Amino acid sequence: MRKLLQADQLKEAGDKAHTLKGSAANISANELAMAALELEKSCKSDLKEDAEIALEKTTEKLTLLCEDVALLEKDFN
């Protein structure tokens, strides 16, 4: 998504954020879903600076989710 934002392709980035939001909601990753929603709204409102900030927050939430999943994997192995 970062490349899309850098290329001023906010609509495409917003579409990807929408997909991420839905996927996160499906697995009850609510903080990630909310961050992706913020990113989606910023992109669809053509607010590039806000979208860049929202992308950082979304990336942080996604990283935390990945870390949590890795911990769960260790518990099951």
Side-chain angles (χ1 to χ4, degrees):
M1 275 192 260
R2 189 172 320 281
K3 288 182 181 181
L4 292 172
L5 291 180
Q6 289 172 344
D8 291 326
Q9 295 178 322
L10 273 70
K11 183 200 179 308
E12 292 82 357
D15 291 345
K16 290 192 179 291
H18 177 80
T19 300
L20 177 59
K21 175 188 72 178
S23 297
N26 283 337
I27 61 168
S28 297
N30 297 325
E31 289 183 23
L32 176 57
M34 294 304 295
L37 173 62
E38 184 178 326
L39 175 57
E40 178 186 10
K41 286 181 177 180
S42 295
C43 288
K44 291 190 176 186
S45 297
D46 206 30
L47 300 171
K48 185 176 178 179
E49 287 185 21
D50 290 352
E52 289 171 341
I53 293 167
L55 177 59
E56 291 304 317
K57 183 176 179 181
T58 301
T59 301
E60 289 173 14
K61 298 301 180 185
L62 182 57
T63 299
L64 290 173
L65 177 62
C66 290
E67 290 171 357
D68 287 346
V69 169
L71 289 174
L72 285 173
E73 280 184 326
K74 287 180 183 178
D75 287 344
F76 285 104
N77 290 326

